Amino acid sequence: MFDLSLIGIGTGNPDHVTQEARKALREAALVLIPRKGEGKDDLAYLRHRILDEAGATAQVVEFDYPVRDPSLPYLDRVNRWHDEIAGQWRAAMARAAAEARAGQPLPDNAPSVPGPVALLVWGDPSLYDSTLRIAARLDPAPRLRVIPGITALQALTAAHALPFNTLAGSVKVTTGRRLATEGWPADCDSVAVMLDADGTFRTLAEPDLDIWWGAYLGMEEQILRKGPLPDVTDDILTTREKARARHGWIMDTYLLRRRGKT
């Protein structure tokens, strides 16, 4: 068994990293950093920057993120992808252990990893993130420690100076995929949408909705848009595509609310 810390690092701003997270990074012996493909080097660079600013001295091993198979049904596709990511973690830890043993006569019962392992997780490891589900696939199971981080929803509402909920009102947090298939929920004034690659808000027939949208939240590249949904939809879609082309990637989220409820 080994120690594995899943460390929330916020939304790309090193100032989002808590003192608890910085302490855990300094205690780690090994940090795993994903490489997410061509054009997304920024994501690995930001993790390295956070390690440097935390004063971490851990061994760092990078690994390549597998690609999801688009031919599979969605849940099968994601479950197989998680299996493959867990396999990449195991392979990365094995490489680290081999490097630690190189030239050193260690006993047969020496740990399979060189010490506490850490993963830097965008946002928070327990909110709209699958890192915990991937960690559950490891064998032997690690001793898990989860360190919370600032989420995209917090960064979005703070950037817009907007309360997350209305007075005595509920908020539904959902995905673009579910919003597309289920539409606006009947019992909510507010809907926060995560993981929407298709701009599903443009398909809503619900009248009198306002939107607060943000991309690269908390980063120097942060972009914000807000207003009545019909008035700003085209601007958001155009801005989104230009930003993706410029950076090679985009992380964005938005909150929709019935007009007059804020």
Side-chain angles (χ1 to χ4, degrees), residues 45-261:
Y45 164 76
L46 284 167
R47 286 178 164 90
H48 282 285
R49 179 181 169 191
I50 287 168
L51 288 175
D52 290 343
E53 293 197 6
T57 58
Q59 178 185 7
V60 175
V61 174
E62 295 188 352
F63 65 94
D64 292 320
Y65 240 51
V67 178
R68 286 184 280 190
D69 184 348
S71 68
L72 296 174
Y74 178 73
L75 290 179
D76 292 342
R77 181 193 324 164
V78 172
N79 276 311
R80 181 174 295 185
W81 184 54
H82 288 170
D83 289 340
E84 292 170 351
I85 294 172
Q88 291 281 16
W89 290 7
R90 286 190 291 267
M93 288 186 286
R95 291 199 305 273
E99 291 176 13
R101 290 169 179 267
Q104 300 182 34
L106 298 176
D108 292 338
N109 63 350
S112 58
V113 293
V117 180
L119 274 149
L120 285 71
V121 181
W122 220 257
D124 185 281
S126 60
L127 181 64
Y128 268 83
D129 185 85
S130 288
T131 310
L132 280 165
R133 282 182 278 271
I134 297 166
R137 288 164 159 78
L138 297 177
D139 185 17
R143 287 182 292 266
L144 271 177
R145 178 186 180 193
V146 177
I147 297 175
I150 291 175
T151 69
L153 293 176
Q154 291 169 287
L156 176 72
T157 52
H160 282 290
L162 175 75
F164 184 62
N165 63 305
T166 59
L167 285 175
S170 60
V171 182
K172 182 168 186 176
V173 181
T174 189
T175 63
R177 180 183 299 274
R178 295 188 70 91
L179 185 66
T181 58
E182 299 171 2
W184 186 269
D187 58 345
C188 284
D189 294 328
S190 306
V191 175
V193 183
M194 313 284 287
L195 309 176
D196 184 3
D198 299 319
T200 304
F201 53 84
R202 64 184 168 184
T203 68
L204 293 174
E206 187 75 13
D208 299 326
L209 292 179
D210 291 325
I211 185 169
W212 291 263
W213 174 86
Y216 311 105
L217 291 161
M219 302 174 65
E220 293 178 0
E221 298 85 354
Q222 177 176 277
I223 309 169
L224 301 174
R225 296 289 188 274
K226 66 179 180 179
L229 182 58
D231 295 352
V232 297
T233 291
D234 289 344
D235 181 29
I236 292 173
L237 294 173
T238 301
T239 299
R240 192 178 192 280
E241 289 311 306
K242 287 181 179 178
R244 182 195 290 277
R246 183 166 61 252
H247 297 289
W249 61 279
I250 191 167
M251 290 186 185
D252 64 331
T253 191
Y254 57 90
L255 188 141
L256 295 160
R257 180 163 291 160
R258 294 185 192 276
R259 190 158 309 134
K261 294 293 184 179

